[in-house]
């Protein structure tokens, strides 16, 4: 029996993604001045209003309001025609100093306090929790097919708006792809494609549907994956003029499934945007993806899920788990043992190995944090696959 799996993506103009963009733009600005700053910035959006709140410590001094307005306008909310205007919206700032109780565990790890003087024991995990990484061989970037196609549709929707191909489009939008799988788990075809896009009030629905199919869906979905029975829905409600924060409130971190694997794999629950890399919600999720991708790239398994778990203030993970869903000749325990030999999942080691203090985070705030090979992020490298194979010998 075949089965179906669906994932969604949203454009950078979605109100939650607007908030992610503002939070990560602020993070980038702070880290550009102070690499050792601790940041947890969250943004909310509502009609005519942006609220920026959170905690920060360090020497950086940035203009939060100016950064937010620039990010919002770059998305395309730069005039009343888009129903939200970064030039004129109200911006309120509620940023405070990081709690000293949290800082004492991050600045000096449990191991360091116990006399384990190692460079990678300098800092502890910024919080407790578990983070997941995943990879599979369904796409060249080793991501699940449904979320990969949904992100490509969202990116294409933004491209044809910004380059003037479809000038009547506005920034808000959502995409969704349903993939049909054969009973052996291999991809059969794309069953359903849904695209909902904000538009001006003068463009008729027939034009929008015709243009989206021709300019967005057909260029993205490979013809080999389309069948005579593939269903396509474009703006199924019939009208999407009021969008962005005018149509719905926005909040940093409310699209965490979009940020990772589209629900195909587990998610630990922590959001990424606005957090500096001492927060393992972000850095360890990237590292778990790095581990999982190297496992699959090495041919050790066809799919792999990795869980890392931490205690606040402690550098070394409390657990490392690998699950390959029966797609490997090795046991999960054997692969986990090899992972522990090859990878160092302490926060300071992750930050150094993935170069997270020199990574720009705003470009990651939309269209996913995983599978972004075009951005050159280090957690998408497969440079440890040979070492993993050797560790299994």
């Amino acid at each position: 029996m075949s089965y179906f799996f669906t994932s969604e993506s949203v454009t950078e103009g979605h109100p939650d993604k607007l908030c992610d963009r503002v939070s990560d733009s602020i993070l980038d600005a702070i880290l550009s001045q102070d690499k050792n700053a601790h940041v947890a910035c969250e943004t909310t959006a509502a009609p005519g209003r942006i609220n920026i709140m959170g905690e920060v410590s360090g020497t950086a001094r940035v203009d939060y309001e100016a950064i937010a307005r620039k990010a919002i306008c770059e998305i395309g909310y730069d005039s009343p025609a888009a129903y939200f205007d970064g030039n004129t919206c109200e911006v309120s700032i509620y940023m405070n100093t990081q709690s000293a109780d949290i800082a004492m565990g991050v600045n000096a790890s449990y191991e360091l306090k116990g006399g384990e003087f190692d460079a990678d024991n300098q800092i502890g995990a910024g919080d407790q929790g578990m983070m997941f990484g995943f990879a599979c061989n369904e796409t060249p970037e080793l991501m699940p097919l449904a979320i990969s196609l949904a992100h490509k549709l969202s990116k294409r929707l933004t491209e044809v708006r910004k380059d003037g191909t479809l000038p009547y489009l506005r920034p808000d939008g959502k995409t969704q792809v349903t993939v049909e799988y054969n009973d052996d788990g291999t991809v059969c075809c794309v069953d359903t494609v849904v695209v909902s896009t904000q538009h001006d009030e003068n463009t008729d629905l027939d034009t929008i549907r015709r243009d989206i199919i021709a300019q967005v869906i057909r260029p993205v979905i490979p013809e080999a994956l389309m069948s005579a029975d593939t269903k396509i829905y474009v703006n199924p409600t019939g009208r999407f003029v009021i969008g962005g924060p005018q149509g719905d409130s926005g909040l940093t971190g409310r699209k965490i499934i979009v940020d990772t694997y589209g629900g195909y794999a587990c998610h630990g629950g922590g959001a990424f945007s606005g957090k500096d890399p001492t927060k393992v919600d972000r850095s360890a999720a990237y590292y778990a993806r790095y581990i999982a991708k190297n496992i699959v790239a090495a041919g050790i398994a066809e799919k792999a899920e990795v869980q890392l778990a931490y205690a606040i203030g402690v550098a070394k993970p409390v657990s490392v788990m690998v699950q390959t869903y029966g797609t490997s000749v090795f046991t999960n325990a054997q692969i986990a043992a090899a992972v522990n030999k090859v990878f160092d999942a302490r926060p300071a080691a992750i930050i150094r190995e993935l170069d997270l203090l020199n990574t720009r985070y705003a470009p990651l705030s939309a269209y996913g944090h995983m599978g972004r090979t075009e951005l050159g992020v280090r957690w998408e490298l497969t440079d440890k696959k040979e070492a993993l194979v050797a560790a299994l010998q």
Side-chain angles (χ1 to χ4, degrees):
M1 294 286 291
S2 63
Y3 62 94
F4 302 85
F5 189 84
T6 302
S7 292
E8 73 159 353
S9 178
V10 296
T11 67
E12 62 193 47
H14 184 281
D16 294 330
K17 280 292 151 198
L18 178 151
C19 293
D20 287 346
R21 174 71 169 271
V22 170
S23 294
D24 273 335
S25 296
I26 288 170
L27 173 65
D28 285 342
I30 292 172
L31 291 180
S32 71
Q33 293 185 27
D34 181 1
K35 300 294 187 188
N36 296 313
H38 292 163
V39 185
C41 176
E42 296 186 3
T43 304
T44 62
R49 170 172 287 279
I50 293 291
N51 298 311
I52 299 168
M53 63 202 82
E55 58 182 32
V56 61
S57 64
T59 61
R61 296 294 180 266
V62 301
D63 188 334
Y64 296 109
E65 180 176 341
I67 294 167
R69 292 191 187 281
K70 183 175 184 290
I72 294 164
C73 289
E74 286 176 346
I75 289 170
Y77 290 115
D78 56 1
S79 73
Y83 288 87
F84 195 81
D85 188 351
N87 296 299
T88 59
C89 66
E90 294 185 44
V91 178
S92 298
I93 313 297
Y94 306 99
M95 293 294 288
N96 299 303
T97 303
Q98 184 187 48
S99 162
D101 291 346
I102 295 175
M104 67 186 294
V106 177
N107 295 337
S109 73
Y110 178 85
E111 291 91 335
L112 190 67
K113 293 172 184 174
E116 296 183 39
F117 297 105
D118 184 312
D120 290 320
N121 279 334
Q122 291 295 319
I123 63 174
D127 201 352
Q128 70 175 46
M130 63 285 186
M131 296 81 213
F132 288 89
F134 181 80
C136 64
N137 59 9
E138 291 182 10
T139 62
E141 67 273 26
L142 304 185
M143 287 286 286
L145 181 61
I147 190 64
S148 177
L149 292 176
H151 281 324
K152 288 179 171 66
L153 288 170
S154 289
K155 289 179 70 176
R156 179 64 181 167
L157 198 56
T158 297
E159 288 169 4
V160 297
R161 169 177 63 87
K162 287 187 169 181
D163 69 14
T165 300
L166 302 180
Y168 57 80
L169 296 184
R170 297 295 179 258
D172 198 357
K174 302 181 78 172
T175 64
Q176 185 173 284
V177 175
T178 300
V179 173
E180 181 179 359
Y181 289 85
N182 299 309
D183 57 5
D184 63 357
T186 59
V187 171
C188 173
C189 63
V190 170
D191 180 78
T192 307
V193 179
V194 183
V195 177
S196 296
T197 179
Q198 187 186 11
H199 57 89
D200 69 23
E201 59 184 356
N202 299 316
T203 305
D204 65 89
L205 183 58
D206 288 341
T207 298
I208 295 169
R209 287 178 172 167
R210 182 182 66 249
D211 287 350
I212 293 300
I213 291 172
Q215 298 294 337
V216 177
I217 296 174
R218 295 296 181 186
V220 168
I221 308 294
E223 192 64 32
L225 291 177
M226 302 286 277
S227 74
D229 297 323
T230 299
K231 299 174 284 294
I232 296 176
Y233 299 100
V234 177
N235 281 21
T237 65
R239 178 180 169 88
F240 188 179
V241 172
I242 299 173
Q246 187 66 29
D248 192 9
S249 62
L251 173 65
T252 298
R254 199 157 55 183
K255 284 290 178 284
I256 56 176
I257 299 303
V258 171
D259 287 341
T260 52
Y261 308 101
Y264 195 95
C266 293
H267 192 296
F272 302 155
S273 290
K275 295 178 180 177
D276 75 85
T278 66
K279 276 72 172 175
V280 285
D281 277 343
R282 177 167 224 156
S283 54
Y286 292 163
Y287 204 62
R289 161 66 177 171
Y290 180 48
I291 296 170
K293 188 171 184 180
N294 274 271
I295 291 171
V296 175
I300 295 168
E302 295 178 16
K303 62 173 66 174
E305 184 172 83
V306 174
Q307 185 200 58
L308 303 175
Y310 294 85
I312 187 169
V314 181
K316 187 178 179 180
V318 298
S319 70
V320 177
M321 182 277 291
V322 175
Q323 171 63 259
T324 60
Y325 303 95
T327 65
S328 177
V329 298
F330 299 99
T331 68
N332 293 328
Q334 287 174 320
I335 300 172
V339 164
N340 282 317
K341 291 178 183 177
V342 173
F343 295 90
D344 187 345
R346 291 175 293 175
I350 294 174
I351 291 168
R352 184 191 69 252
E353 188 169 4
L354 299 186
D355 198 26
L356 295 181
L357 294 180
N358 295 303
T359 297
R360 288 189 63 242
Y361 294 104
L364 291 158
S365 60
Y367 318 116
H369 292 245
M370 314 304 176
R372 301 298 299 277
T373 53
E374 81 280 10
L375 295 179
V377 290
R378 292 193 58 83
W379 55 92
E380 292 301 320
L381 296 179
T382 56
D383 54 344
K384 295 293 185 72
K385 56 186 181 181
E386 290 84 3
L388 270 175
V389 171
L392 283 165
Q393 303 308 310

